Amino acid sequence: MPAQPARYSSPDAAAVVHELPPIRFDGQLITIRLAVRRSEDGIWRGRVLFGEPDTEAERATAEIFCAASEADLWQSVRDLRDHHFRDLYRSLL
């Protein structure tokens, strides 16, 4: 039986990026964005992007947000507080 070819695609290929309020970390304002996409299986997924886009300092999480609806995904994001975002950012440094 022939093997199925592997599919390679960027997780952010169809993502819409939303600006979130910045956080303060070590006296600096850190830009935060959320890349949201709907995967082929209908699940909404999101990753957090820290720092200015397309710079060496930009950092990103894996798709840590996952929900059956876009509203549920945004509720998860709204439930996070500044200290959660700071901890996420610190973990990427």
Side-chain angles (χ1 to χ4, degrees):
M1 173 167 41
Q4 295 293 323
R7 284 197 244 170
Y8 296 98
S9 65
S10 168
D12 291 329
V16 176
V17 178
H18 302 273
E19 294 284 329
L20 299 177
I23 57 166
R24 187 163 296 280
F25 184 81
D26 282 345
Q28 299 180 52
L29 278 180
I30 306 296
T31 303
I32 303 177
R33 296 173 323 282
L34 182 70
V36 177
R37 72 182 182 94
R38 189 169 184 196
S39 59
E40 291 177 9
D41 59 2
I43 300 297
W44 288 88
R45 300 177 187 280
R47 69 178 53 227
V48 182
L49 309 167
F50 294 97
E52 294 302 318
D54 302 323
T55 65
E56 197 172 297
E58 184 181 36
R59 302 285 188 261
T61 67
E63 289 181 324
I64 59 174
F65 295 100
C66 181
S69 72
E70 188 176 14
D72 289 343
L73 184 134
W74 278 105
Q75 185 60 49
S76 297
V77 173
R78 281 191 290 276
D79 286 345
L80 291 179
R81 303 292 182 249
D82 282 356
H83 66 277
H84 295 116
F85 283 110
R86 277 194 297 276
D87 287 344
L88 281 170
Y89 179 69
R90 185 180 302 119
S91 73
L92 297 171
L93 294 179

